[in-house]
Amino acid sequence: MTRTSLPKATARAHSNIALAKYWGKGDVAQNLPATPSLSMTLSALHTTTSVVFEEQLTRDEIVLNGVQLSGEKRARLTQFLDRVRTLAGLQRFACVDSHNNFPTASGLASSASGFSALALAATRAAGLAYAPEEVSALARVGSASAARSLFGGYVALELGAQSATRVLAGDAYPLSLLVCVVTLLPKDQGSTLGMAHTQKTSPYYPAWVDSAPAVYERVRGALLARDFDALGRATEHSALLMHASMFAAEPPLNYWSPTTLALLQRVSELRASGLPAYATMDAGPHVKVLVEPHNAQKIENALREVAGVKDVLVCAPGPDATVTLEGA
């Protein structure tokens, strides 16, 4: 079989930020979250990944942001590719070239867009004509949040679900999310290890798991009702509950920086001044601020003035993941 008998697939998937958070594994073997989550797919943040399975390769060649991967990072992706090969009955190695247009592994959900793009590109390159729900379930194995990045708009991963589902199209409620970037460096502690540490050592972890479903329902209900203030309050509450469980771990797991705290204070001040804005944070120092589009410019300007902020990325609800084929 020659190289041209299998196509090169290039997929683009957008990052997503959870409004109702997940933190912790309910089933480690299947990579199922311990809590339900609901996210907004982001228009401005994306991963583009090309995959081709080549007969002459003797190992997987994986490049991320122009750098050849090795060690544990490479092993995580080759294991994922092994799963695709098994599903396709394929014995070829893959050439993978991936690029993020935003900081990688720093708390901006690059693993979500990354595994979503990889799942879509790899399945199509291997000749698997999977439905989006099937690709979502496969992406979840690599990163639970990646299940949500297959879909645009507002997306849920229900408790125990294998794949994500769209809750609401982006154009049905076009909010803005301002992503305040405070560092370009990777974070010290990855999410997978951070979750395990929190789950093992934090006395607040059971309270987080118990309370998260009700907060998820508040987020979902407010989103469907287009009730911005209710959505914002529930979004902020979900993030603070999650981080409280991390702070109570032993030793504490703290992703925040002084700029994180300054941004949270600024958001609170803006809200008190009559500009509705609500903050959320993932496992990283960056602060994401949910706002209504007509207030976005004014709030963006105020956030850029906070010391330590390197950039503010203005995001609308993003689109579905896409894929193109060459040599099919």
Side-chain angles (χ1 to χ4, degrees), residues 249-301:
E250 178 58 42
L253 182 59
N254 180 12
Y255 288 105
W256 295 10
S257 72
T259 307
T260 306
L261 288 168
L263 280 164
L264 293 176
Q265 180 62 32
R266 190 69 180 113
V267 169
S268 179
E269 291 168 354
L270 289 168
R271 199 158 61 229
S273 74
L275 283 174
Y278 296 90
T280 185
M281 299 83 64
D282 290 335
H286 315 288
V287 176
K288 298 88 175 180
V289 184
L290 191 66
V291 303
E292 294 170 295
H294 65 274
N295 288 324
Q297 185 65 66
K298 188 178 294 185
I299 295 173
E300 177 194 350
N301 293 342

Coordinates of all heavy atoms in Angstrom, one line a residue, residues 249-301:
A249 N -5.9 21.1 49.3 CA -5.1 19.9 49.1 C -3.8 20.0 50.0 O -3.5 21.1 50.5 CB -4.7 19.7 47.7
E250 N -3.2 18.9 50.2 CA -2.0 18.9 51.0 C -0.8 18.2 50.3 O -0.8 17.0 50.0 CB -2.3 18.1 52.3 CG -1.1 17.9 53.2 CD -0.5 19.2 53.7 OE1 -1.2 20.2 54.0 OE2 0.8 19.3 53.7
P251 N 0.2 19.0 49.8 CA 0.3 20.5 49.9 C -0.7 21.2 49.0 O -1.2 20.6 48.1 CB 1.7 20.8 49.5 CG 2.1 19.7 48.6 CD 1.4 18.5 49.1
P252 N -0.9 22.5 49.3 CA -1.9 23.2 48.5 C -1.6 23.2 47.0 O -0.4 23.3 46.6 CB -1.9 24.6 49.1 CG -1.3 24.4 50.4 CD -0.4 23.3 50.3
L253 N -2.6 23.2 46.2 CA -2.4 23.3 44.7 C -2.9 24.7 44.3 O -4.1 24.9 44.3 CB -3.2 22.2 44.0 CG -3.1 22.2 42.5 CD1 -1.7 22.0 42.0 CD2 -4.0 21.0 41.9
N254 N -2.0 25.6 44.0 CA -2.4 27.0 43.7 C -1.8 27.4 42.4 O -0.6 27.5 42.1 CB -1.7 27.9 44.8 CG -2.1 29.3 44.6 OD1 -2.9 29.7 43.8 ND2 -1.4 30.2 45.3
Y255 N -2.8 27.5 41.4 CA -2.4 27.9 40.1 C -2.4 29.5 39.9 O -2.0 30.0 38.9 CB -3.4 27.4 39.1 CG -3.2 25.9 38.8 CD1 -4.1 25.0 39.4 CD2 -2.2 25.4 38.1 CE1 -4.0 23.6 39.1 CE2 -2.1 24.0 37.8 CZ -3.0 23.1 38.4 OH -2.9 21.8 38.1
W256 N -2.8 30.2 40.9 CA -3.0 31.6 40.8 C -1.7 32.4 40.9 O -0.7 31.9 41.5 CB -3.9 32.2 41.9 CG -5.3 31.6 41.7 CD1 -5.8 30.7 40.9 CD2 -6.5 32.1 42.5 NE1 -7.1 30.5 41.1 CE2 -7.6 31.3 42.0 CE3 -6.7 33.1 43.4 CZ2 -8.9 31.5 42.5 CZ3 -8.0 33.2 43.9 CH2 -9.0 32.5 43.5
S257 N -1.6 33.6 40.3 CA -0.5 34.5 40.5 C -1.0 35.8 41.1 O -2.2 36.0 41.2 CB 0.1 34.7 39.1 OG -0.7 35.5 38.3
P258 N -0.1 36.7 41.4 CA -0.6 38.0 41.9 C -1.5 38.7 40.8 O -2.4 39.4 41.2 CB 0.7 38.8 42.1 CG 1.7 37.8 42.5 CD 1.3 36.6 41.6
T259 N -1.2 38.5 39.6 CA -2.0 39.1 38.5 C -3.4 38.5 38.5 O -4.4 39.2 38.2 CB -1.4 39.0 37.2 OG1 0.0 39.5 37.2 CG2 -2.1 39.7 36.1
T260 N -3.5 37.2 38.8 CA -4.8 36.5 38.9 C -5.7 37.2 39.9 O -6.8 37.6 39.7 CB -4.6 35.0 39.3 OG1 -3.8 34.4 38.4 CG2 -6.0 34.3 39.3
L261 N -5.1 37.4 41.1 CA -5.8 38.1 42.2 C -6.2 39.5 41.8 O -7.3 40.0 42.1 CB -5.0 38.1 43.5 CG -4.8 36.7 44.2 CD1 -3.7 36.8 45.2 CD2 -6.1 36.3 44.8
A262 N -5.3 40.2 41.2 CA -5.6 41.6 40.8 C -6.7 41.7 39.8 O -7.6 42.6 39.8 CB -4.3 42.3 40.2
L263 N -6.8 40.7 38.9 CA -7.8 40.6 37.9 C -9.2 40.3 38.5 O -10.2 40.9 38.2 CB -7.5 39.6 36.8 CG -6.5 40.1 35.7 CD1 -6.0 38.8 35.0 CD2 -7.2 41.0 34.8
L264 N -9.2 39.4 39.5 CA -10.4 39.1 40.2 C -11.0 40.3 40.9 O -12.2 40.5 40.9 CB -10.2 37.9 41.1 CG -9.9 36.5 40.5 CD1 -9.6 35.5 41.6 CD2 -11.0 36.1 39.6
Q265 N -10.1 41.0 41.5 CA -10.5 42.3 42.2 C -11.0 43.3 41.2 O -12.0 43.9 41.5 CB -9.3 42.9 43.0 CG -9.6 44.1 43.7 CD -10.6 43.9 44.8 OE1 -10.7 42.8 45.4 NE2 -11.5 44.9 45.1
R266 N -10.4 43.4 40.1 CA -10.8 44.4 39.1 C -12.2 44.0 38.5 O -13.1 44.9 38.3 CB -9.8 44.4 37.9 CG -10.1 45.6 36.9 CD -9.8 46.9 37.6 NE -10.1 48.1 36.7 CZ -11.1 48.9 36.9 NH1 -11.9 48.8 38.0 NH2 -11.2 50.0 36.1
V267 N -12.5 42.7 38.3 CA -13.8 42.3 37.8 C -14.8 42.6 38.9 O -15.9 43.1 38.5 CB -13.8 40.8 37.5 CG1 -15.2 40.2 37.3 CG2 -12.9 40.5 36.3
S268 N -14.5 42.4 40.1 CA -15.5 42.7 41.2 C -15.8 44.2 41.2 O -16.9 44.7 41.4 CB -14.9 42.3 42.5 OG -15.8 42.6 43.6
E269 N -14.7 45.1 41.0 CA -14.9 46.5 41.0 C -15.7 47.0 39.8 O -16.6 47.8 39.9 CB -13.5 47.2 40.9 CG -12.7 47.0 42.2 CD -11.3 47.4 42.0 OE1 -10.9 47.7 40.9 OE2 -10.5 47.4 43.0
L270 N -15.5 46.4 38.6 CA -16.3 46.7 37.4 C -17.7 46.4 37.7 O -18.6 47.2 37.3 CB -15.7 45.9 36.2 CG -14.4 46.4 35.7 CD1 -13.8 45.4 34.7 CD2 -14.5 47.8 35.1
R271 N -18.0 45.3 38.3 CA -19.4 44.9 38.5 C -20.1 45.8 39.5 O -21.2 46.2 39.3 CB -19.4 43.4 39.1 CG -20.7 42.7 38.9 CD -20.6 41.2 39.0 NE -20.1 40.7 40.2 CZ -19.0 39.9 40.3 NH1 -18.5 39.4 39.2 NH2 -18.6 39.5 41.5
A272 N -19.3 46.2 40.5 CA -19.9 47.2 41.5 C -20.2 48.5 40.8 O -21.0 49.3 41.3 CB -18.9 47.3 42.6
S273 N -19.4 48.9 39.8 CA -19.6 50.2 39.1 C -20.7 50.2 38.1 O -21.0 51.2 37.5 CB -18.3 50.6 38.4 OG -18.1 49.8 37.2
G274 N -21.3 49.0 37.9 CA -22.4 48.9 37.0 C -22.1 48.2 35.7 O -23.0 48.2 34.8
L275 N -20.9 47.7 35.5 CA -20.5 46.9 34.3 C -20.6 45.4 34.6 O -19.7 44.9 35.3 CB -19.1 47.3 33.8 CG -19.0 48.7 33.1 CD1 -17.6 49.0 32.8 CD2 -19.8 48.6 31.8
P276 N -21.6 44.7 34.2 CA -21.7 43.3 34.6 C -20.6 42.5 34.0 O -20.4 42.5 32.7 CB -23.1 42.9 34.0 CG -23.8 44.2 33.8 CD -22.8 45.2 33.5
A277 N -19.8 41.8 34.8 CA -18.7 41.0 34.4 C -18.5 39.9 35.4 O -18.6 40.2 36.6 CB -17.4 41.9 34.2
Y278 N -18.2 38.7 35.0 CA -18.0 37.6 35.9 C -16.8 36.8 35.5 O -16.6 36.5 34.3 CB -19.3 36.7 35.9 CG -20.5 37.4 36.4 CD1 -21.3 38.1 35.6 CD2 -20.8 37.4 37.8 CE1 -22.4 38.8 36.0 CE2 -21.9 38.1 38.3 CZ -22.7 38.8 37.4 OH -23.8 39.5 37.9
A279 N -16.0 36.4 36.5 CA -14.7 35.7 36.2 C -14.8 34.2 36.4 O -15.6 33.7 37.2 CB -13.7 36.3 37.2
T280 N -14.0 33.5 35.6 CA -13.8 32.1 35.8 C -12.3 31.8 35.5 O -11.6 32.5 34.8 CB -14.7 31.3 34.9 OG1 -14.5 29.9 35.2 CG2 -14.4 31.5 33.4
M281 N -11.8 30.7 36.1 CA -10.4 30.3 36.0 C -10.4 28.8 35.8 O -11.1 28.1 36.5 CB -9.6 30.7 37.2 CG -9.5 32.2 37.4 SD -10.9 32.7 38.4 CE -10.7 31.9 39.9
D282 N -9.5 28.3 35.0 CA -9.2 26.9 34.9 C -8.0 26.6 35.7 O -7.6 27.4 36.6 CB -9.0 26.5 33.4 CG -10.3 26.6 32.6 OD1 -11.4 26.4 33.3 OD2 -10.3 26.8 31.4
A283 N -7.4 25.5 35.4 CA -6.1 25.1 36.2 C -5.0 25.8 35.6 O -4.2 25.3 34.8 CB -5.9 23.6 36.1
G284 N -4.9 27.1 35.9 CA -3.8 28.0 35.4 C -4.1 29.4 35.9 O -5.1 29.7 36.6
P285 N -3.2 30.3 35.7 CA -3.3 31.6 36.3 C -4.1 32.6 35.5 O -4.5 33.7 36.0 CB -1.8 32.1 36.3 CG -1.2 31.5 35.1 CD -1.9 30.1 35.0
H286 N -4.5 32.3 34.3 CA -5.3 33.2 33.5 C -6.7 33.4 34.0 O -7.3 32.4 34.5 CB -5.3 32.7 32.0 CG -4.0 32.2 31.5 ND1 -3.0 33.1 31.2 CD2 -3.5 30.9 31.3 CE1 -1.9 32.4 30.8 NE2 -2.3 31.1 30.8
V287 N -7.2 34.5 33.8 CA -8.6 34.8 34.2 C -9.4 35.1 32.9 O -9.0 35.8 32.1 CB -8.7 36.1 35.1 CG1 -10.1 36.4 35.5 CG2 -7.9 35.8 36.4
K288 N -10.6 34.4 32.9 CA -11.5 34.6 31.8 C -12.7 35.3 32.3 O -13.3 35.0 33.3 CB -11.9 33.3 31.1 CG -10.8 32.4 30.6 CD -10.1 31.6 31.6 CE -9.0 30.7 30.9 NZ -8.4 29.8 31.9
V289 N -13.2 36.3 31.6 CA -14.2 37.2 32.1 C -15.4 37.2 31.1 O -15.3 37.5 29.9 CB -13.7 38.6 32.2 CG1 -14.8 39.5 32.8 CG2 -12.5 38.7 33.1
L290 N -16.5 36.7 31.6 CA -17.8 36.6 30.8 C -18.5 38.0 30.8 O -18.8 38.5 31.9 CB -18.7 35.5 31.4 CG -19.9 35.1 30.6 CD1 -19.4 34.4 29.3 CD2 -20.8 34.2 31.5
V291 N -18.8 38.5 29.6 CA -19.4 39.8 29.5 C -20.4 39.8 28.4 O -20.4 38.9 27.5 CB -18.4 40.9 29.2 CG1 -17.3 40.9 30.3 CG2 -17.7 40.7 27.9
E292 N -21.3 40.7 28.4 CA -22.2 40.9 27.3 C -21.5 41.7 26.2 O -20.7 42.6 26.5 CB -23.5 41.7 27.8 CG -24.3 40.8 28.8 CD -25.4 41.6 29.4 OE1 -25.0 42.6 30.2 OE2 -26.6 41.3 29.2
P293 N -21.8 41.4 24.9 CA -21.0 42.0 23.8 C -21.0 43.5 23.8 O -19.9 44.2 23.5 CB -21.7 41.5 22.6 CG -22.2 40.1 23.0 CD -22.7 40.3 24.4
H294 N -22.1 44.2 24.2 CA -22.1 45.6 24.2 C -21.2 46.3 25.2 O -20.9 47.5 25.1 CB -23.5 46.2 24.3 CG -24.2 45.9 25.6 ND1 -24.8 44.7 25.8 CD2 -24.3 46.6 26.7 CE1 -25.3 44.7 27.1 NE2 -25.0 45.9 27.6
N295 N -20.8 45.5 26.2 CA -19.9 46.0 27.2 C -18.4 45.5 27.0 O -17.5 45.9 27.8 CB -20.3 45.6 28.6 CG -21.6 46.3 29.1 OD1 -21.8 47.5 28.8 ND2 -22.5 45.6 29.8
A296 N -18.2 44.7 26.0 CA -16.9 44.0 25.9 C -15.7 45.0 25.8 O -14.7 44.8 26.4 CB -17.0 43.0 24.7
Q297 N -15.9 46.0 24.9 CA -14.8 46.9 24.6 C -14.4 47.7 25.9 O -13.2 47.8 26.2 CB -15.1 47.9 23.5 CG -13.9 48.8 23.1 CD -12.8 48.0 22.5 OE1 -12.9 47.4 21.4 NE2 -11.6 48.0 23.2
K298 N -15.3 48.2 26.6 CA -15.0 49.0 27.8 C -14.4 48.1 28.9 O -13.4 48.5 29.5 CB -16.3 49.6 28.3 CG -16.1 50.6 29.5 CD -17.5 51.2 29.9 CE -18.1 52.1 28.8 NZ -19.3 52.8 29.2
I299 N -14.9 46.9 29.0 CA -14.3 46.0 30.1 C -12.9 45.5 29.6 O -12.0 45.4 30.4 CB -15.3 44.8 30.3 CG1 -16.6 45.4 31.0 CG2 -14.6 43.8 31.2 CD1 -17.7 44.3 31.1
E300 N -12.8 45.2 28.3 CA -11.5 44.8 27.8 C -10.4 45.9 28.1 O -9.3 45.6 28.6 CB -11.5 44.6 26.3 CG -10.2 44.3 25.7 CD -10.1 44.4 24.2 OE1 -11.2 44.5 23.6 OE2 -9.0 44.3 23.7
N301 N -10.8 47.2 27.9 CA -9.8 48.3 28.2 C -9.4 48.3 29.6 O -8.3 48.5 30.0 CB -10.4 49.6 27.7 CG -10.6 49.7 26.2 OD1 -10.0 49.0 25.5 ND2 -11.5 50.6 25.8

